[in-house]
Amino acid sequence: MALNNLLNALIGGILIGGSATLLFWLNGRIAGISSIVASLLFTKDRLWSALFLLGLVAGAAIYYALGGSVPVPRSNFPVWLLAAAGVLVGFGTALARGCTSGHGVCGLGRLSLRSLVATLTFLSVGLLTTFVVRHLFGVI
Amino acid sequence: MPNIIALVTGLIFGFGLAISGMTHTEIVLGFLDVAGEWNPSLLFVLGGAVSVTVASFYWIRKLPKPVFATTFIVTEIKKIDRSLVIGSALFGIGWGISGYCPGPAIALLAAPNWEVWVFLPALLFGYGLHEYVSKKSQVNIVNLNDNQTSRPEQPTCG
């Protein structure tokens, strides 16, 4: 893996942290994607949530339009397994009230013990799951 | 003004996700797969982001209020409960299977492929399922408490 990729990862991380900083400082809001989706779907806080998510898609679109590397889908990944994963991610992040951004980026930023527990939990369960899926069941 | 800020911060977030490589499942799973050819990218993304927020949030929390809003909207829940741990574990299973967490899955609408059209509806179904289940259990609590309880507060973190 090229050093360039790690530099891009670091730049991306700093931009994500910068975005979370601006949203919290200016609007007093936490840049947690799962909460923002939930507020778009189930609350009256729709407009800013919709605009943030629209920006999220547009931001990625700009990077891809500038020649950034576009993700290539897997060809042999089971559809039912991907769907099951989607339901688990949606239900799980709603139940835990946060995902990688809300608990990981913002929660750790607030030095929240809850978010530390959440982050360590989804990271360790994620590591274990990937091991089982890839090396015990051979799904890649 | 807050709406413009929401759009612009979303834009920065999405650009950051795309450049970081987190919309590529092989990079995310390359991090989670410690038994394979390990890819430390995710550590750089999370490390970069958290270094910024730890410093900035420390400073922001000292301010009396946000620039364009009346209060900071942050969850007051401090308890480490079953919902937090079980929810995070379920998320970890789905993440470890697919390589998608919610942000990258939505950002990928910018370059959609078949995986997006399977994962995103399933993700939304998962949110809907949680809303349905929590509303149902809330109805039971309301009945038990003789209609004294109102709807639970909306999630403010995550």
Side-chain angles (χ1 to χ4, degrees), chain A residues 12-33 36 48 52 56 100-110, chain B residues 5-6 8-14 16 48-61 66 72-74:
Chain A
I14 290 169
L15 285 173
I16 292 167
S19 160
T21 297
L22 289 174
L23 191 66
F24 194 48
W25 175 46
L26 300 172
N27 286 6
R29 293 280 184 173
I30 293 291
I33 308 299
I36 294 177
W48 85 268
F52 183 90
L56 186 82
T100 347
S101 49
H103 280 311
V105 175
C106 297
L108 294 185
R110 295 199 297 122
Chain B
I5 288 157
V8 172
T9 50
L11 209 79
I12 300 170
F13 203 110
V50 173
S51 316
V52 173
T53 53
V54 164
S56 67
F57 281 32
Y58 176 77
W59 167 74
I60 294 168
R61 288 305 290 272
F72 292 106
I73 300 188
V74 174

Side-chain angles (χ1 to χ4, degrees), chain B residues 31-104:
Chain B
F31 171 80
L32 292 176
D33 185 6
V34 283
E37 197 183 319
W38 194 59
N39 182 334
S41 286
L42 194 143
L43 211 58
F44 282 69
V45 181
L46 199 57
V50 173
S51 316
V52 173
T53 53
V54 164
S56 67
F57 281 32
Y58 176 77
W59 167 74
I60 294 168
R61 288 305 290 272
K62 290 182 172 174
L63 302 173
K65 68 178 204 57
V67 178
F68 296 112
T70 47
T71 50
F72 292 106
I73 300 188
V74 174
T75 181
E76 296 305 326
I77 307 170
K78 294 261 190 282
K79 221 173 78 194
I80 292 165
D81 51 11
R82 265 171 49 190
S83 302
L84 181 81
V85 176
I86 294 172
S88 297
L90 293 176
F91 165 40
I93 295 172
W95 193 38
I97 291 173
S98 64
Y100 289 119
C101 53

Side-chain angles (χ1 to χ4, degrees), chain A residues 21 26 34-35 64 74 97 135, chain B residues 23 33 56 68 115 157-158:
Chain A
T21 297
L26 300 172
S34 55
S35 284
Y64 299 140
R74 292 159 283 200
R97 291 164 169 255
H135 299 285
Chain B
T23 53
D33 185 6
S56 67
F68 296 112
E115 292 192 12
C157 187

Side-chain angles (χ1 to χ4, degrees), chain A residues 88-113:
Chain A
L88 285 169
V89 171
F91 189 87
T93 56
L95 186 62
R97 291 164 169 255
C99 55
T100 347
S101 49
H103 280 311
V105 175
C106 297
L108 294 185
R110 295 199 297 122
L111 306 179
S112 150
L113 186 63

